[in-house]
Amino acid sequence: MSASPSLSRNRNQHAVLTGAGLFLWFSNAILLPVLAVILALLHPLESQAQPAAFVTPNDMGAGSLLLQTAQDGKYIEAPRLATDVDIDVNGPTARAVLTQAFENSTDKWVEALYVFPLPEDSAVYSLKMIVGNRVIVADIKEKQAARAIYEKARREGKKASLVEQQRPNVFTNAVANIGPHEKIVVQIEYQQAVHLADGRFSLRVPLVVAPRYTPQNAEAIAQRADLKAGWGQTKQSSSRNGVSKPVSAPLLAPESDRANPVTLKVNLNAGFPLDDVKSLYHTVEIDRVSDGARRIVLDGDATADRDFVLEWSAVASSVPSVGLFREHVGKDDYVLAYVTPPAVATSQKAGREVVFVIDNSGSMGGTSIEQARASLDYALSRLKTNDRFNVIRFDDTMTKFFPDSVMATADNIASARRFVTGLDASGGTEMLPPLQAALDDSHQTPGLRQVVFLTDGEVNNEQQLLDAIAQSRGRSRIFMVGIGSAPNTYLMSRAAELGRGSFTHIGSVAEVDERMRILFDKLENPAVTNVAAAFSEKNVNLSPSLLPDIYHGEPLVLAARMGKAAGSLTVSGMVGDRPWTISLPLDQASNAKGISKIWARRQIDDAEVNLTLGKITQTEADKRILQLALEHHLVTRLTSLVAVDSKRLRPANTPLTTADIPLQLPAGWDYDKLLGIEAMREAKADTRDHQTGDKSQSVNGDADVQEISAPPSASPPLPQTATPAMLLILQGLLALLFGASLLIFISRRSKA
């Protein structure tokens, strides 16, 4: 018997109601709790992994450097930096105030790290951190203690700043806990001596840190323990050809419209009537204050891609032959003396052996190789017929043009000049083999032996090169020629000091003739040798401890500490075969500021030189350097400046993001030749490896710190268009649950 239509309808309705009730029960009992758990798990992940500070390239309305995060297609804008340099020159010393304004343009709390250069002889002694209307003054501490203080303040959410020396001319400034859309100002002060050469005074302000080349056997290099410690904080990413960026600072691509702007002014009080004042590489405005004073200001903001160099000279009637200055600090007097020997007429010079070494590695690409070729071509043209010479070129390979030094005949010079003209820049900078080849004096040819080394010096193994000079210099004199807009002046000046030569910088092709002519005046004229300095008073601490040869146009610069600047200073030596001497009354010294800091810096340099020469042990050098640094409040490889705010401002559960300030490539460098396509690919691979690594621990073991890595180019890769993985998982779970409930509903209905 068939069921009535009304009964069938009722059964169907009952089945529908039963299925609906079962679906509602299943949703309430299983689906909603599962969804609640999933959403609860997702909420903290989303709040940390995708904060409001993350952006995509399409979100940016202006040119910006975006740093890649662990999330595909998510970036954070790099902190911005503006730098102001204010310098007061008074006679022989210069006091500089370097102001760095860090701006966080994101919604995240940020720790910024900036790598910046300073003069290799600068005495860094003061750090102030300005937060709102408060000024926090830094303390000088041993390096490890300063780092511990900074790390503790960072973890506690307090604003802090730490200035460390990575190399004598490369420093880092770390600033922790910069709040969202906040600006923190850090002021660094240093003293340096004014440079005098060839009758002109000069001041150099380095503005860019160039990438450094790491030799192929870098891991096998036995670096001194102090340099290991000094470089321990650096994180270098090397490509196949060895090019590395110091302290992992991102490098801006040439097409980037982002820059680290620099403003600069110099208040020049020379202490004598001025004849000529000029900026060599930047456009400036010069205002006359008095006969001996000028005010120099950069014309607009400068791009931090080349060194700033200012030169000035005295009117002919007031050129000082001797400069003597003093400063009284505590119980002691500090003396700074410039002594220039008189020009000596010479007869026909004896033959010399000159070995020219030219760097044609990738960092010399662009205008640098043009300057180097032009400089060496000029040098070859100045050789005399009784000279012997050779040419060595190097990148990551080396070529000696002649097997041994040859006579400077017209044919030999012509063939060498053709060889130099054909050189191009590429490859790595393996500087040690050509240096050793140039210092090889196994043939012992008679006469003076000189090595002229043309390079930008951008290598990581400076100490290995200096050790080689100390060990193999013999009777050779080394003359370093720094090429380009930002050469490694520390390596150049220290190599020239150990090699008893001099350092010349050529920053543009237009300078080649003048600079090389001045250099050859030094090479061709007799130096003052066997130099000695004696004070009539006792208990005088003199620097440098190793007195150099004095070359034509260059003064001997002495710094000393004594109880009272009284009595006399006598300097003597030999000019060729003739004795030379001069005596200076110390009570006639003029007053000047900053000499005590300069003396302490030179004493520290003396300790490093004596360590390199094997005259003192590592322990003795460290003890001396630490004592000087703490006494005179100086940043060294063993000491740092640290400033900490007393207030905690970052909330306890809010993560801190670390981000490096990007650096610009020095002007004139060829980006493609330096890095190359393969290097770019490997840098990107390194970035990806870093992003997919263990994120549970930060670099410093701080769980609340999220390190952000940077792609090598200012233009980040396009964001991924795939749906985020977590959303896909959620959608899959919802589909499974819905399918399960639908299956139960259909099963119940079919049974009914």
Side-chain angles (χ1 to χ4, degrees):
M1 179 182 291
S2 62
S4 64
S6 60
L7 180 59
S8 179
R9 251 190 333 269
N10 290 336
R11 285 180 178 175
N12 290 338
Q13 290 175 353
H14 176 73
V16 170
L17 291 173
T18 302
L22 182 62
F23 179 74
L24 290 174
W25 171 85
F26 185 80
S27 299
N28 291 328
I30 299 177
L31 180 60
L32 291 180
V34 170
L35 286 176
V37 171
I38 292 173
L39 292 174
L41 291 173
L42 283 175
H43 178 71
L45 291 175
E46 289 297 322
S47 63
Q48 292 186 26
Q50 296 182 0
F54 285 176
V55 296
T56 67
N58 292 333
D59 295 331
M60 307 310 297
S64 301
L65 180 73
L66 304 183
L67 305 183
Q68 174 72 61
T69 70
Q71 297 288 319
D72 285 341
K74 296 294 183 179
Y75 303 85
I76 184 170
E77 187 177 1
R80 294 183 176 272
L81 175 78
T83 302
D84 177 72
V85 186
D86 193 342
I87 303 175
D88 289 320
V89 177
N90 288 288
T93 64
R95 170 184 170 270
V97 179
L98 182 69
T99 302
Q100 298 172 347
F102 297 86
E103 183 179 4
N104 176 15
S105 57
T106 75
D107 297 328
K108 249 181 145 42
W109 286 82
V110 169
E111 177 191 26
L113 178 67
Y114 179 52
V115 184
F116 64 99
L118 287 178
E120 69 280 357
D121 60 346
S122 60
V124 182
Y125 65 91
S126 175
L127 166 67
K128 297 182 181 70
M129 183 173 62
I130 303 170
V131 181
N133 58 357
R134 301 191 313 282
V135 178
I136 299 96
V137 179
D139 291 325
I140 191 75
K141 299 286 185 183
E142 291 191 48
K143 194 166 192 174
Q144 292 182 350
R147 167 60 67 174
I149 292 170
Y150 174 82
E151 297 289 353
K152 183 174 183 291
R154 184 182 65 172
R155 289 192 300 269
E156 294 176 348
K158 298 177 181 178
K159 298 188 187 304
S161 181
L162 175 70
V163 170
E164 294 181 319
Q165 175 183 302
Q166 303 297 329
R167 288 178 168 87
N169 60 340
V170 178
F171 294 73
T172 56
N173 187 6
V175 183
N177 293 306
I178 308 176
H181 305 285
E182 186 180 33
K183 181 182 291 185
I184 290 183
V185 175
V186 176
Q187 283 190 340
I188 300 166
E189 296 183 35
Y190 66 86
Q191 290 276 168
Q192 69 177 122
V194 167
H195 182 65
L196 172 61
D198 308 305
R200 296 188 66 83
F201 299 84
S202 65
L203 180 73
R204 175 184 296 275
V205 182
L207 296 177
V208 60
V209 177
R212 301 288 181 94
Y213 176 84
T214 301
Q216 296 174 2
N217 63 339
E219 295 181 358
I221 294 173
Q223 299 287 359
R224 291 206 320 254
D226 60 303
L227 291 184
K228 284 184 179 179
W231 293 348
Q233 299 298 333
T234 65
K235 302 168 291 179
Q236 296 176 341
S237 58
S238 298
S239 67
R240 181 174 299 172
N241 66 358
V243 174
S244 66
K245 300 182 291 297
V247 203
S248 69
L251 185 65
L252 288 175
E255 67 271 12
S256 172
D257 58 359
R258 177 186 170 115
N260 297 324
V262 175
T263 56
L264 185 147
K265 64 177 178 292
V266 179
N267 295 310
L268 172 61
N269 183 13
F272 49 78
L274 288 165
D275 178 27
D276 180 41
V277 179
K278 63 180 179 180
S279 167
L280 298 189
Y281 311 118
H282 292 79
T283 303
V284 297
E285 296 178 0
I286 301 177
D287 295 328
R288 186 178 186 278
V289 178
S290 65
D291 286 347
R294 302 289 189 273
R295 187 173 186 271
I296 300 96
V297 180
L298 276 181
D299 188 8
D301 291 353
T303 300
D305 64 353
R306 64 169 65 244
D307 293 353
F308 174 85
V309 180
L310 185 73
E311 285 190 353
W312 62 95
S313 60
V315 297
S317 60
S318 59
V319 175
S321 59
V322 173
L324 196 58
F325 307 89
R326 66 181 173 185
E327 179 187 33
H328 185 76
V329 177
K331 298 180 180 180
D332 296 317
D333 279 346
Y334 294 85
V335 175
L336 186 66
Y338 292 78
V339 183
T340 304
V344 178
T346 58
S347 57
Q348 181 66 29
K349 306 166 188 66
R352 303 165 295 148
E353 180 185 5
V354 187
V355 180
F356 300 101
V357 184
I358 181 170
D359 178 354
N360 68 305
S361 64
S363 66
M364 295 285 288
T367 58
S368 293
I369 192 63
E370 298 175 14
Q371 297 164 27
R373 285 194 303 250
S375 300
L376 183 46
D377 184 76
Y378 180 91
L380 291 169
S381 71
R382 287 287 297 262
L383 291 172
K384 303 294 190 296
T385 55
N386 58 342
D387 291 335
R388 298 176 64 85
F389 81 102
N390 203 349
V391 176
I392 300 174
R393 69 102 222 142
F394 73 95
D395 41 44
D396 47 25
T397 62
M398 183 187 78
T399 301
K400 292 177 67 175
F401 186 62
F402 299 107
D404 294 303
S405 293
V406 297
M407 294 303 298
T409 64
D411 288 343
N412 286 337
I413 292 175
S415 60
R417 293 177 75 174
R418 287 193 298 271
F419 170 70
V420 170
T421 302
L423 293 178
D424 197 10
S426 64
T429 313
E430 296 289 342
M431 192 179 293
L432 183 60
L435 176 63
Q436 292 171 329
L439 293 176
D440 180 11
D441 191 22
S442 56
H443 289 82
Q444 290 289 323
T445 56
L448 189 62
R449 192 171 197 277
Q450 300 167 333
V451 174
V452 180
F453 209 115
L454 300 99
T455 179
D456 57 15
E458 300 299 354
V459 292
N460 275 326
N461 62 325
E462 291 118 318
Q463 191 57 47
Q464 186 189 32
L465 298 170
L466 298 177
D467 289 340
I469 293 173
Q471 180 179 359
S472 307
R473 61 181 182 171
R475 65 188 180 102
S476 301
R477 264 53 176 177
I478 301 176
F479 296 83
M480 302 298 294
V481 181
I483 300 295
S485 59
N488 184 355
T489 54
Y490 161 66
L491 175 60
M492 303 289 191
S493 57
R494 183 60 56 83
E497 179 182 8
L498 289 170
R500 297 158 299 182
S502 66
F503 166 47
T504 301
H505 174 229
I506 298 177
S508 70
V509 176
E511 293 179 340
V512 167
D513 284 358
E514 178 189 3
R515 300 290 181 180
M516 292 303 290
R517 176 185 58 78
I518 292 173
L519 173 60
F520 265 77
D521 284 344
K522 296 176 173 58
L523 295 173
E524 294 170 357
N525 283 278
V528 181
T529 58
N530 301 326
V531 180
F535 288 84
S536 60
E537 300 295 309
K538 296 181 179 180
N539 299 321
V540 178
N541 199 322
L542 177 67
S543 180
S545 57
L546 177 66
L547 294 181
D549 294 346
I550 310 175
Y551 291 92
H552 177 69
E554 292 198 355
L556 173 66
V557 182
L558 300 173
R561 180 174 70 178
M562 54 199 310
K564 183 179 180 180
S568 61
L569 164 64
T570 301
V571 180
S572 61
M574 296 293 295
V575 182
D577 56 356
R578 297 166 52 186
W580 167 78
T581 185
I582 186 172
S583 185
L584 311 176
L586 296 180
D587 58 0
Q588 296 183 12
S590 303
N591 292 324
K593 294 181 179 180
I595 297 177
S596 63
K597 303 289 186 188
I598 294 171
W599 172 84
R601 178 73 252 180
R602 288 173 178 264
Q603 286 281 303
I604 290 169
D605 291 342
D606 277 351
E608 300 285 15
V609 169
N610 288 330
L611 176 59
T612 300
L613 293 173
K615 294 184 176 181
I616 57 176
T617 66
Q618 181 75 60
T619 301
E620 291 170 334
D622 289 353
K623 181 180 179 181
R624 180 61 175 152
I625 291 169
L626 185 59
Q627 177 185 352
L628 285 162
L630 295 177
E631 179 184 352
H632 292 271
H633 215 259
L634 299 181
V635 177
T636 66
R637 62 175 172 83
L638 298 177
T639 54
S640 303
L641 285 168
V642 59
V644 176
D645 195 0
S646 59
K647 297 182 178 180
R648 175 174 188 133
L649 297 175
R650 177 167 61 92
N653 295 325
T654 303
L656 180 66
T657 299
T658 62
D660 299 337
I661 304 293
L663 300 178
Q664 293 176 236
L665 202 64
W669 281 41
D670 189 310
Y671 189 87
D672 294 330
K673 284 190 176 181
L674 175 68
L675 297 179
I677 300 300
E678 187 64 28
M680 294 285 287
R681 290 173 180 169
E682 292 184 12
K684 291 178 180 179
D686 289 344
T687 300
R688 288 195 298 271
D689 292 342
H690 178 76
Q691 293 164 9
T692 56
D694 181 10
K695 297 295 180 178
S696 61
Q697 295 293 328
S698 71
V699 172
N700 298 290
D702 193 355
D704 69 340
V705 177
Q706 301 176 354
E707 185 176 7
I708 303 299
S709 59
S713 171
S715 302
L718 293 176
Q720 301 296 317
T721 56
T723 309
M726 193 58 70
L727 182 58
L728 284 174
I729 294 173
L730 177 60
Q731 290 174 347
L733 287 172
L734 287 174
L736 286 173
L737 291 172
F738 180 76
S741 61
L742 185 61
L743 182 62
I744 293 173
F745 169 72
I746 294 173
S747 176
R748 292 283 186 180
R749 183 175 180 181
S750 63
K751 289 180 181 179

